[in-house]
Amino acid sequence: MTEWPILTVTIFLPILGASIIFFIKEEETSLSNIKWAALLTSIGTFIFSCLIWLQFDNSIAEYQLSEKHQWFTDFNFNYHIGVDGISLFMILLSTFLTPFCILASWISINKRIKEYMMAFLFLETVLLGMFSSIDILLFYIFFESVLIPMFLIIGVWGGERRIYATFKFFLYTLLGSVLMLVAIIFIYQLTNSMSISELQGNFFSKNIQIYLWLAFFASFAVKIPMWPFHTWLPDAHVEAPTAGSVILAGVLLKMGGYGFIRFSLGMLPEASEFFLPLIMIMSIIAIIYTSLVALAQTDIKKLIAYSSVAHMGMVTIGIFLVNQQGIEGAIILMISHGVVSAALFLSVGVIYDRMHTLDISFYGGLVNNMPLYSVSFMIFVLASVGLPGTSGFVGEFLIIMGAFKYSSLLALFSATGIILSAVYMLYLYKRIIFGQMSNVKLKDILDIDFREKIILYPLIIMIILIGIFPNIFLDPMRLPIELIINNYEFANAK
Amino acid sequence: MPLLGFLYCAFVGSYFHDRVSQLVTTFLLTISTFLSWIIFLQYLEGANTTIIHILNWITSGSFSADWSLRVDALTATMMVVVTTVSACVHLYSVGYMNEDKSINRFMGYLSLFTFFMLMLVSSNNLLQMFFGWEGVGLSSYLLIGFWHHKDSANKAAIKAFILNRVGDFGFVLGIVGVFFIFGSINFDIIFTDAINYQNHAFNFLGLSLSTIDTLCFLLFIGAMGKSAQLGLHTWLPDAMEGPTPVSALIHAATMVTAGIFMVARMSPLFQYAEFTNLFIIFIGASTAIFAASIALTQNDIKRVIAYSTCSQLGYMFFAAGLGAYNAAIFHLMTHGFFKALLFLSAGSVIQAMKHEQDMRKMGGLFIKIPFTGTMMWIGSLAIIGFPFFSGYYSKESILENAYFSTSGMAQYAYVVGVFTALLTAFYSWRLLLMTFHGKPRATEETFNQVHESPKVMTISLAILAIGTIFSGSILADFFIGPKQEVFWNHAVVLIHTAQHNIPFVQTLTIKSTVAAGILLAAMLYFYKKGLTKSLSRNFQLLYLISYNKWYVDELYNSIFVQPFFYIASIFWKKGDIYIIDEYGPNGISKLINYFSKRLSLFQSGYLYHYAFVMLGGLVIILTWFVYY
C-alpha cells in the first residue's frame, strides 16, 4: 500500500488535462497549446503508470495498490480499484499508446481540435478506470463510458461513411451492454456483493452460471470481436481517423479479452467449461474464415481489421484453454497485438495523410521513395505474421502449445494461422511497397519525417523487446493466472 | 572453448549492427571464419560438447526456453561451412554487386542471414533453432526479393516465404508435440529420454499413432519446406530471381541444408522413427531423381544448378533416412563447397555475358574466360563424384550405405541414387558444354565483350575450389572413416555396421553410369547437334514434362492458389456482407424501420381512427377480464 493513491491519480490525470484544455480558448494561436497540453498529459500518465509497474510486486496474486471508498451508503457499491498482473499490462498498454495517438493526430485532424483532444483524454481515463476497477458496477460504468468518446471520434472526425459505421458499432455494443447490465443486477441480487475479487470462485449454480455467462458473452464477444459478431470492426476502422483505429485495435478490443478472463473464467467457471467447445469452434472459424476474407480485401485498413479478428480468434482460444500457457499466451498476444496493430494503423496513417486513400491498388513501389518507412512497415508486418524474435511469436507459440495440451486437432487448426497470416500480410506488403512506382501521383511522396519517426521507432523497440525478453511481462502475470486456473479447476472438479 | 564461442557470437552481434561498408562485413566474417575453423579443428581431435547459457527467454508454467549456445562436432561442421561460404560470398559480392545501387542493404542482409544461420546451428533447444530457422527464411525472403522492382522477384520471394511457412507449420506442431511428450525442448533431455518413448503411442482422431513417428514426421515437414523436398520444392528454382551470390550462399550451401542439419541434430529421436525414416528415404530419393530429370532440359543456367541442388539435397535426405547421418552431413559439407563454387562461377559467366542467363545464347566461352571455365569444370567434376574430388567420397559413402541397408526402400533409394548419378553427369556436362564449348551462339558484340571477372571474385572462387578439391580426401577419415567415433563424439547417432567395401561390380556400375552420362551429354551437345532436336521431338511428351517441371506449379496454382482467392472473396462478399450484415445489423435496422413505418400509420391524426383503436382495446381488455 502506498502513501498516496497513485492509481487514482493515474486514472484521473487525463481528465485533469482535458479540463485544462477545456479552458484554453480555441483560436488559431492556441492550437499548438492544446496539442502540447494533451501530449504532455498523456506522457505524464504514461510515466505514472510506469511508476505503478515499479511498485508492483510480482509475488502477490491478488490485487495490489488497491483503494476502497464507500460510494452509496445504502448499497454495497464501492469505489474500489487496484491492479494485478493481468490488468497491469492493459493499463500500461493504454497509457503507452495514447501519446502516439495524440502525435498521430497532430496535423491530420484540423477541425474541432480541442474537442478531439478532450475526447481522447477522456477515453484514456475511462479505459484506465475500467482496467483497474474491482467493483463490478464501477467496471460497468467505465466500460460503457468508453462508447461515448469512441462514438464521437468516429462519428465526428471519421470518413465519409462514418454515420453508418458508428451506427453499426453502437448497435452491436449496445446489445451486449444491455444484457451485461441485467446480468450485473442479477449478480447483486444474489450475492449482495459487487466486488470482482470477492466473487472470484464458484458462487452460482450451474444453471445460473450459464445464463450469466451468455449475458457477459454477448458483450465481450462483440467487443473482442469474435466471429460472427465482427462485421462492425472493419467498418469502424475504415471510417475512424488513424488515432481512432489505433486505440480501437490497440486497446478497445482487449476489453473483451480482459472481460473474458475476469468474468467468464473467474466467476463462472462451470459455464465456461460448458461452453468451451462452442468457443473453440467459433475461434477456429474466426482464424480461418477471417484470414481468407482478409486476403480478398482491397482496402488496407479493412485488411488489417480482419487480421485483428483472426488474431483475436487465437486469443479466445488461449483464454478458454484455461492452462498456464494458454492464458499467458493470450495476454502476451493481446499486448503484442495492441502494439503491432497500433503500429500498422499508424503506418497506414502515414501514407493516408499523404495520399488520402486506403485503396491498395493505388499504391505500389513505395520503397523507392520511402526506404525508412518500408523498413518499419516490414518489421510491423513480420511481427503481425509472428516471426520469432518479434512480439507476435511468443503469444502465438504459447497458445499453440496450450492448445496441444487440450487436443492435438485444435493445435493443428490454430497453427493454420501461421500460414494464412503470412499469405495475406506479405501479399499486402508486396502490393503497397514493392514493385515499380506506376502511379504518377506517388512520384513526390516523401519518406517519414521527424514526428513520424518518433511515433514508429519506439513501437519497433517495443515489439523486439517483447519478442526477446517476454519474461519481464510474463513474470507479473504468473500468479494471478495460477489463481484463476486453480479456482477453475477446483470448480469443475466437483 | 566457451570463451571462444562467446566471442564468436559477440562478433556476430557486432557486425550485424555495422552494415555501413562492405569492408566491415567481409572483414568481420573472415574473422568468424577463422574462429570457427579453430573450433572445428579442436573437434577433429575430439573435443566435448560445450553448452553456453546466456539468458532465459520464455518461461510459462512448466515450459521454459533459453537463449544458449551448443557447440559440438555437428555445430562446428556447420559453422565452418556457413562462415567459409559466407565469407567467400561476401568477398565475391564486393565485385559482383559493384554496380548495384544498394550495396549496403545487400551486405547487411547477407550478414543478417549469416547471423541467423549461426543461431540456427548453435542452438541448444528447438525453439531457438526455430528462431534461427524463421530468421534465415526471412533473410532469404528479403534477398530473393532484393531487386524489388522486378515483379517476378517479388512473387518468388513471397512464394519462398509461404512454402517455407507451410513447412514451419509442421515444425511448430513438432516442437509443441515434443514439449508435450518430453516436457522440455532442450536437446539433452529429449535425447536421453527418447528411448523411453520408443513404443509409446497416442490417439489422434481415433487412430493410434506412434508418438515418435508422428513427432519426427511433423519435424520433417519443416525440413521439407526449408530444404525444398518434393512437394514443397517449387520455391527453390524461383528463388533464382535473387542475385547470384545469394543463390550460392542461401539456396545452395547453407539455408537449404538446414533441414538436413535439423534431422541430423535430432538423430537420437529420428533413429526410433521407423515409418518416418522410410518416408524420408522415399521423399529424398524421389526428389533426387525428380529434380535431376527437370535439370536435364532447363535452359537457364541458374535453374539447372538450382534443380541440381534440389536433387543433391534428396541424396542427403535419403542418407539421413537410412540412418547414415554422418554421410549426410559429409555430403552437406562437400556439397556446400562445390555448389557454391558452381553458382559463383555461373554468376561470373552471367556477369561476363551482361546478365544473360540463357545457355542457348552462350557457348565457346572457355577461350574468353578460362579461369571461370576451369572453376566450373572443378565443380562439375566434384558434383558427379569424380574420384578424389570431394563429391566422390561423400556420394560414394551415401550409395554404399544404401547398398548395405536391407529394407526395400533402401533398395529403391540405391537404384534411384545410381540412376540419378547418371542424370547428374548428363546435365552437368550439358551445362559445361553448352556454356563453355562448342560454337559461340551469342551475338558477336556481346561475345567480344566477354571478359574475366575482377580479382575479388576470382579469389573467392579459388578458395572454394580448394575446398572442393581437398575437403573430401582430407576429411573423409573423420566424417565417415575410422576416426568417426572420436570426431562425432555422440553429436549424431552413428550406425555400427562393419564397414564392408562395396563389391567391385557395384563400384563399376556407379562409375560407368557416370561415364555414360558424360558421354551421352558429349554426344548430344558436342558432336551431334541435330540429335537433341530430333530427340526432343520424338519423345515430346517426356521432354515437355521435364521442360515444364512436371507441371507442379500449374497444379498448385489451380488446386491451391486460385480456389483460395475464390473462397476468400466468397466468404467476404457472401459471408460477411450478404449473410451476417444483412441478417445482423442491417436486418435489424430494416426491421425496425419497417415496424416504425407501420406503427406510424396509427398516428394518422384523425380522431375517429384513435377512437376506433381505443374501442378495440377496450373490447380486448374486457374480454380478458370476463374470461379469466
Side-chain angles (χ1 to χ4, degrees), chain A residues 164 167-168 172 228 230-231 289 292-293 295-297 306 324-325 328 367-368 378 382 385-389 393-394 397-398 400-401 404-405 408-409 411-412 415-416 418 420 422-423 426-427 430 434-436 467-471 474 478, chain B residues 55-63 67 127 130-131 134 138 141-142 145 148-149 151 154-155 158 161-162 165-166 168-169 172-173 175-177 179-180 202-205 564-565 567-569 571-572 575-576 580-581 584-586 588-589:
Chain A
Y164 174 71
F167 146 74
K168 210 167 168 183
Y172 263 117
H230 64 278
T231 54
Y289 177 99
L292 284 168
V293 175
L295 191 63
Q297 297 307 311
Y306 275 108
Q324 196 82 27
Q325 281 93 13
E328 285 185 9
V367 68
N368 299 310
M378 182 89 227
L382 291 172
V385 163
L387 197 84
F393 173 70
V394 183
F397 181 75
L398 287 175
I400 295 174
M401 184 165 270
F404 202 92
K405 267 190 185 167
S408 41
L409 194 65
L412 193 78
T416 50
I418 293 181
L420 294 171
V423 175
L426 290 181
Y427 188 52
K430 181 204 139 192
F434 285 148
Q436 299 278 11
I468 308 241
F469 307 105
N471 273 344
L474 287 169
R478 186 159 300 128
Chain B
L55 200 75
N56 188 270
W57 182 13
I58 304 178
T59 313
S60 172
S62 54
F63 172 78
W67 294 107
L127 201 66
F130 189 68
F131 169 75
E134 287 274 87
L138 162 70
Y141 164 78
L142 291 173
H148 44 65
H149 49 88
D151 194 40
N154 292 328
K155 278 192 182 134
I158 289 193
F161 198 87
I162 288 168
R165 274 257 153 170
V166 176
D168 293 345
F169 167 72
V172 166
L173 287 176
I175 298 176
V176 171
F179 174 72
F180 188 61
F202 78 109
N203 266 311
F204 179 73
L205 295 178
F564 211 62
F565 277 93
I567 294 173
S569 71
F571 273 166
W572 179 37
D576 262 23
I580 298 179
D581 273 358
N586 295 357
I588 291 172
S589 68

Side-chain angles (χ1 to χ4, degrees), chain B residues 185-379:
Chain B
I185 53 165
N186 271 8
F187 288 143
D188 288 329
I189 298 173
I190 301 171
F191 295 163
T192 43
D193 255 18
I195 194 158
N196 302 330
Y197 290 95
Q198 211 175 337
N199 297 316
H200 194 266
F202 78 109
N203 266 311
F204 179 73
L205 295 178
L207 295 167
S208 174
L209 299 171
S210 154
T211 312
I212 291 197
D213 256 337
T214 318
L215 293 181
C216 290
F217 184 76
L218 288 172
L219 292 175
F220 180 62
I221 290 179
M224 276 172 70
K226 191 108 301 186
S227 296
Q229 292 299 290
L230 197 59
L232 297 177
H233 67 282
T234 51
W235 66 270
L236 185 59
D238 287 1
M240 297 302 133
E241 291 292 341
T244 310
V246 174
S247 316
L249 176 62
I250 299 184
H251 307 119
T254 53
M255 186 188 85
V256 288
T257 59
I260 322 277
F261 166 79
M262 195 258 280
V263 173
R265 169 57 85 209
M266 301 301 290
S267 57
L269 194 64
F270 272 87
Q271 63 176 332
Y272 299 115
E274 283 166 31
F275 168 75
T276 306
N277 277 335
L278 290 182
F279 182 72
I280 296 176
I281 300 173
F282 175 72
I283 290 286
S286 309
T287 310
I289 191 162
F290 169 84
S293 73
I294 297 174
L296 294 180
T297 53
Q298 298 302 309
N299 289 320
D300 183 324
I301 185 167
K302 284 178 76 182
R303 275 181 190 255
V304 175
I305 309 180
Y307 276 109
S308 117
T309 305
C310 228
S311 157
Q312 298 298 318
L313 289 169
Y315 269 109
M316 295 176 213
F317 265 119
F318 80 67
L322 290 165
Y325 301 105
N326 51 344
I329 293 294
F330 189 37
H331 195 56
L332 186 161
M333 182 173 191
T334 56
H335 172 262
F337 287 120
F338 65 68
K339 193 48 67 66
L341 178 66
L342 281 174
F343 258 121
L344 293 184
S345 315
S348 180
V349 172
I350 291 167
Q351 207 185 33
M353 295 289 296
K354 298 263 173 282
H355 296 281
E356 177 57 66
Q357 303 194 0
D358 193 337
M359 293 195 297
R360 282 170 299 191
K361 295 185 184 151
M362 297 177 185
L365 292 178
F366 199 84
I367 324 153
K368 283 286 193 180
I369 40 173
F371 183 79
T372 309
T374 320
M375 292 298 132
M376 198 69 123
W377 266 89
I378 295 175

